[in-house]
Amino acid sequence: MSPSTVPGHPAATAVAPRAPEAQATQAWWRGAVIYQVYPRSFADGNGDGTGDLAGVRAHLPYLHELGVDAIWFTPWYVSPLADGGYDVADYRAIDPAFGTLEEAEALIAEAASLGIRTIVDVVPNHVSDQHVWFQEALAAGPGSPERERFWFHPGKGADGAEIPTRWVSSFQGSTWTRTTDADGTPEEWYLHLFTPEQPDVNWTHPDVRREHEDILRFWFDRGVAGIRIDSAALLVKDAELPEVPADPADIAPGEHPFMDRDELHEVYRSWRRVADSYDEPRVLVGEIWLPDAKRFADYLRPDEMHTAFNFLFMSCPWDGPAMRASIDTTLEAHALVGAPATWVLSNHDVTRPVTRYGRDDTSFAFEAKRFGTPTDLALGTRRARAAALLTAALPGCLYLYQGDELGLPEVEDLPRHAIQDPMHFRSEGVDPGRDGCRVPLPWTADAATSYGFSLAGQPGADSSEDGGAPAASWLPQPAWWGSYAADVEAQDPASMLHLYRRAIALRRAEDGLREGGFTWLGRSEVPGLDTTSGSVLAFARGDVACVVNLGRDAVALPEDAEVLLSSGDDPAGALAPDTAVWLRLARTDQP
């Protein structure tokens, strides 16, 4: 379905393709704005309640108008959806809930015609328990070659009833599940760092390495510009299966039993060779959660990944000294290897900024998520607007999770029976899980079409699959969802959507924000700008300065500065608390 089939819908706006020079450089990824699409929740083209590729294709003009350079899709492959698609059964086929391979190819081409590249997810640590390899391994039995592609292992104790290790799952609980033979007799255990439906593959096996390189080529040959690598630091395991020491200080760098092992780097060097073999080299983006900045940067050496997500900054509290330290650590680590930093405020796993920044504890940690945590949405929204300008002004690549440009809050009152995230169930109901940031987007104020999430049933659109009204969205939307709808915000110059559109446009138009260096500012550099309290962050990029007030009192701004963009009201010489501003300074000695 084309965008023009839904008159009056935000996706129906006619737009011209972006100028070719916007994509001319092979290093486009160094300063790109990349928009994350969680397909189940973006837009539903056929009215079955689940987002799909038809919905994304209909909204490509919206993403073009927003100004993004690329779309990153979370897994769209065939999957039983035990973990939201991160349990992949077939990498070479699109899940029927989302569409077909032909639709994916059309989407990639249509996005490219608008100057938007496509990045897809690959999950190399594990597959679905429905993957043909794992089904073959179960059928073949202990000692078979088929099982060598995974981590099957006898249990401990006389009858093998004890788990091989006490490694803890990323989703809490055990990392081992015992199998049974045809008559129900217990036999070997298999390793899964996530859910039992996600068995880990064995990266010492040549089939595993060969298969994943073939998967890269399969998607690169279809025009995909890059790969986002899920759980990128977890692939390689110590074959001796030692326990994880209680004290992290007892683990030598590179010798953790299943995380950040030195052997990983050869895997990504081989992937880089594949990516570099194309006329326009493809891009590798890592999901790497590591506290050691040097170990993190090692993955970004010139012959490995191009970029990796900056979780240090994303998890940082709304605190001036903490954010400054995070920015410094990030820039210094990336400078060691000549890689661009990435800046991200949230994703499909993380509490949305509007909600998080309104809490007493504004940092993020998975283990801290609980039901009933209070938040001040007005405060969180002010801070999220300021954070949008802060991240958009920093040097490097900017990631934006779908709906954050609308200022969507986390939906924290989902009915318990509607929750689907395995993190909730494996915590025995203590952790609310990640579904609150995955609620389907509101495109219009019309509740009858799931706030425009379903294109079926709208004027000029195709009817739903069953010929009736569109189905309810796969996760329930709150009654107040329509006030955040894209069509509502498109008409409001003070909305979060307008703020993001203007920030991204300025980021592209201003030489300083595109190519300028980075220098912290204070009174010695800009008379009248006081940053001594630590609650004010100010830095220059070319002739553009970004000033963020994270304190409780207004701060004076330079009198001769031109305001380019503010996250709040017109500063009029003073910047209010929890507000950011971009200025053009009346100076000639900018870095």
Side-chain angles (χ1 to χ4, degrees):
M1 177 175 57
S2 72
S4 61
T5 61
V6 191
H9 196 276
T13 305
V15 292
R18 190 169 302 142
E21 60 268 19
Q23 288 213 21
T25 174
Q26 290 191 341
W28 62 272
W29 42 272
R30 298 189 70 89
V33 176
I34 300 176
Y35 187 94
Q36 181 190 353
V37 166
Y38 188 74
R40 294 178 82 189
S41 300
F42 187 74
D44 170 18
N46 63 13
D48 66 356
T50 296
D52 49 37
L53 301 190
V56 179
R57 293 171 68 187
H59 288 285
L60 285 175
Y62 168 87
L63 296 175
H64 180 275
E65 187 174 1
L66 183 59
V68 305
D69 299 294
I71 307 169
W72 156 38
F73 287 90
T74 57
W76 55 13
Y77 317 107
V78 171
S79 168
L81 297 178
D83 181 25
Y86 283 89
D87 48 318
V88 179
D90 185 351
Y91 274 108
R92 295 174 179 83
I94 300 297
D95 194 285
F98 300 145
T100 65
L101 180 60
E102 291 73 22
E103 284 184 278
E105 292 171 335
L107 192 162
I108 293 166
E110 290 166 9
S113 74
L114 294 174
I116 300 173
R117 288 175 166 85
T118 299
I119 297 171
V120 298
D121 237 308
V122 168
V123 190
N125 179 70
H126 49 263
V127 295
S128 166
D129 62 355
Q130 300 305 304
H131 191 284
V132 63
W133 278 5
F134 192 71
Q135 290 298 306
E136 290 173 350
L138 291 178
S144 64
E146 289 84 353
R147 290 202 172 188
E148 293 175 2
R149 295 168 173 158
F150 297 90
W151 288 95
F152 282 89
H153 202 276
K156 295 181 178 179
D159 58 358
E162 297 179 31
I163 55 177
T165 73
R166 301 196 178 278
W167 297 354
V168 177
S169 168
S170 296
F171 288 171
Q172 304 185 46
S174 173
T175 55
W176 294 91
T177 291
R178 198 171 191 184
T179 61
T180 58
D181 62 20
D183 65 5
T185 303
E187 46 155 82
E188 291 182 316
W189 299 75
Y190 68 88
L191 175 67
H192 50 86
L193 292 183
F194 294 86
T195 71
E197 294 84 5
Q198 296 166 285
D200 285 31
V201 293
N202 177 5
W203 272 88
T204 66
H205 198 291
D207 286 357
V208 173
R209 294 193 59 159
R210 183 166 49 248
E211 168 68 0
H212 282 81
E213 290 181 14
D214 286 348
I215 289 167
L216 300 187
R217 294 187 183 94
F218 180 88
W219 287 105
F220 290 159
D221 289 347
R222 281 157 180 76
V224 163
I227 296 290
R228 181 264 190 184
I229 308 165
D230 181 73
S231 302
L234 299 181
L235 279 58
V236 177
K237 281 78 174 176
D238 186 336
E240 298 300 318
L241 300 181
E243 295 293 352
V244 179
D247 186 351
D250 293 336
I251 306 174
E255 296 185 9
H256 189 285
F258 59 82
M259 183 183 297
D260 184 34
R261 293 185 62 79
D262 289 337
E263 304 95 310
L264 259 174
H265 295 283
E266 180 49 40
V267 172
Y268 296 127
R269 290 188 186 101
S270 71
W271 285 26
R272 181 62 177 261
R273 291 191 288 271
V274 174
D276 286 348
S277 69
Y278 287 79
D279 290 340
E280 180 184 310
R282 300 331 195 215
V283 177
L284 304 178
V285 182
E287 182 198 28
I288 303 173
W289 293 79
L290 293 177
D292 187 319
K294 172 62 172 62
R295 297 287 302 184
F296 171 88
D298 283 346
Y299 289 88
L300 303 177
R301 288 175 289 196
D303 61 345
E304 296 190 44
M305 299 181 194
H306 297 78
T307 66
F309 289 124
N310 183 2
F311 294 116
L312 175 67
F313 180 83
M314 184 186 69
S315 304
C316 192
W318 186 254
D319 173 82
M323 282 203 161
R324 177 163 179 156
S326 177
I327 292 168
D328 281 339
T329 299
T330 297
L331 294 178
E332 289 165 6
H334 286 77
L336 293 174
V337 289
T342 64
W343 307 101
V344 55
L345 296 176
S346 72
N347 60 33
H348 64 291
D349 292 331
V350 174
T351 304
R352 286 194 182 271
V354 163
T355 298
R356 190 169 79 244
Y357 286 147
R359 291 183 164 154
D360 290 338
D361 180 2
T362 54
S363 64
F364 177 79
F366 284 109
E367 59 271 16
K369 291 189 70 173
R370 292 295 182 268
F371 287 98
T373 305
T375 190
D376 179 340
L377 282 181
L379 175 63
T381 298
R382 287 199 303 275
R383 289 173 171 174
R385 290 175 65 91
L389 294 197
L390 169 61
T391 53
L394 289 166
C397 185
L398 175 65
Y399 279 82
L400 175 59
Y401 176 51
Q402 65 178 40
D404 281 354
E405 80 278 11
L406 302 175
L408 293 182
E410 189 87 354
V411 179
E412 300 193 286
D413 58 353
L414 286 169
R416 294 289 184 113
H417 67 81
I419 295 175
Q420 300 188 26
D421 184 20
M423 290 190 78
H424 169 70
F425 300 106
R426 288 177 65 84
S427 73
E428 298 182 348
V430 173
D431 183 341
R434 301 162 293 176
D435 288 342
C437 66
R438 300 174 176 182
V439 174
L441 297 187
W443 291 98
T444 72
D446 179 14
T449 59
S450 297
Y451 301 103
F453 172 66
S454 174
L455 299 181
Q458 296 188 44
D462 297 334
S463 60
S464 60
E465 286 188 332
D466 62 5
S473 58
W474 72 277
L475 282 175
Q477 299 160 302
W480 43 266
W481 214 224
S483 62
Y484 290 89
D487 69 341
V488 173
E489 294 201 15
Q491 304 305 314
D492 180 6
S495 69
M496 187 79 84
L497 178 58
H498 269 270
L499 180 70
Y500 266 102
R501 284 176 175 173
R502 292 162 64 200
I504 293 171
L506 279 171
R507 176 185 164 98
R508 178 172 289 112
E510 291 289 333
D511 291 343
L513 294 176
R514 283 201 322 273
E515 302 169 355
F518 178 91
T519 302
W520 289 112
L521 298 177
R523 187 173 290 164
S524 60
E525 292 83 13
V526 182
L529 181 61
D530 185 5
T531 61
T532 56
S533 68
S535 62
V536 177
L537 301 180
F539 57 88
R541 307 236 8 247
D543 64 347
V544 177
C546 176
V547 183
V548 188
N549 182 4
L550 295 89
R552 297 184 177 181
D553 302 311
V555 295
L557 293 172
E559 295 181 359
D560 54 358
E562 173 193 356
V563 175
L564 298 177
L565 184 59
S566 174
S567 68
D569 295 332
D570 186 344
L575 189 62
D578 300 313
T579 307
V581 66
W582 289 357
L583 306 172
R584 194 185 312 282
L585 300 177
R587 297 176 58 203
T588 59
D589 58 342
Q590 288 292 324

